[in-house]
Amino acid sequence: MESTKTSTVPEMAIQMSEALTPGKAAPLPESESLSLQRGSRSAYALKQSRRWDAAAAVVRAAAAGTALVALAMMVSSEQHGSLTVFGITVPLYSKWSFSDSLEYLVGISASVAAYSLLQLVLVVRNLLKKVPAVPTQNHAWILFAGDQVFAYAMMSAGSAAAGVTNLNRTGIRHTPLPDFCKPLHWFCSHMAVSITFAFLSCVCLAVSTVIDAIWLAKLVN
């Protein structure tokens, strides 16, 4: 009996000393480990969300900038010139407001610029407040629909204006009307730059639509 007692006491002392050894952390309860895992996942999701919000702000700024350039170049498309047909010199005066297609491009460019600037202000404000750029699912649906509408509108406006520009450069077939862009090169160059930036704005809106779809997927899940 005495030998049993003497052998048990050192074993208990060794177990207690191992448990209280400094530098060796005790295992966490299962509930605390699960909470730590959830916290790390939520922190990673928040970081990813902030990245998408920053990307959305960059794309909005690009869409607004390209639309403003398209607008500015088109409204400055105006030039006086002259054209010789059958030995007769004809004075020419070209301005963007003389064409319905170019007026349509100006109107759509102004609308896209205003829309993109408004969304940019909202996104930047939420970024500064450190809140999600798209807080609700309804907001995401509105952005998704609005970006698509303006993207298609900008595409149609750019295509219509490109037809007018191509007609000015090639003239009309089977008629003596020549290339109008030779005497009006300033006017045609401004139109070409405006149409190019209009299509770039359309691409930015398409990229923004993809980001809207990602936001929707996150909010739905």
Side-chain angles (χ1 to χ4, degrees):
M1 293 294 291
E2 292 179 358
S3 61
T4 304
K5 290 181 180 180
T6 56
S7 61
T8 304
V9 172
E11 291 179 358
M12 292 177 62
I14 291 172
Q15 291 177 357
M16 291 177 66
S17 63
E18 289 179 353
L20 297 176
T21 301
K24 187 175 181 181
L28 294 174
E30 184 177 356
S31 59
E32 292 185 8
S33 62
L34 289 176
S35 63
L36 288 176
Q37 291 178 1
R38 291 174 182 174
S40 61
R41 289 177 182 176
S42 61
Y44 176 77
L46 180 60
K47 186 177 180 180
Q48 291 294 109
S49 177
R50 300 286 291 179
R51 288 180 179 178
W52 283 115
D53 293 347
V58 173
V59 174
R60 295 289 181 191
T66 51
L68 287 174
V69 172
L71 176 63
M73 294 301 293
M74 185 57 71
V75 297
S76 62
S77 298
E78 182 179 1
Q79 186 180 5
H80 290 272
S82 61
L83 180 66
T84 302
V85 181
F86 298 119
I88 302 174
T89 302
V90 180
L92 297 176
Y93 174 59
S94 294
K95 190 177 181 181
W96 63 271
S97 58
F98 295 163
S99 173
D100 294 336
S101 299
L102 302 184
E103 287 183 341
Y104 177 51
L105 178 59
V106 168
I108 295 299
S109 298
S111 301
V112 170
Y115 169 78
S116 300
L117 286 174
L118 174 61
Q119 298 302 329
L120 176 62
V121 170
L122 295 177
V123 171
V124 172
R125 185 193 65 177
N126 290 338
L127 283 173
L128 295 177
K129 290 183 177 180
K130 296 183 179 182
V131 297
V134 182
T136 62
Q137 187 175 347
N138 291 332
H139 189 186
W141 277 115
I142 292 173
L143 291 178
F144 184 69
D147 289 343
Q148 290 189 80
V149 169
F150 281 105
Y152 284 120
M154 185 63 89
M155 183 186 298
S156 65
S159 300
V164 175
T165 304
N166 185 60
L167 181 63
N168 289 336
R169 290 187 180 278
T170 59
I172 302 175
R173 292 182 179 180
H174 310 298
T175 64
L177 293 178
D179 181 3
F180 286 103
C181 284
K182 288 182 178 179
L184 301 172
H185 57 87
W186 177 269
F187 174 75
C188 292
S189 298
H190 274 62
M191 281 199 305
V193 174
S194 176
I195 293 169
T196 301
F197 276 91
F199 283 118
L200 289 176
S201 181
C202 178
V203 172
C204 293
L205 289 171
V207 174
S208 182
T209 303
V210 175
I211 297 177
D212 296 338
I214 295 174
W215 275 333
L216 273 174
K218 291 182 178 181
L219 291 173
V220 168
N221 295 332

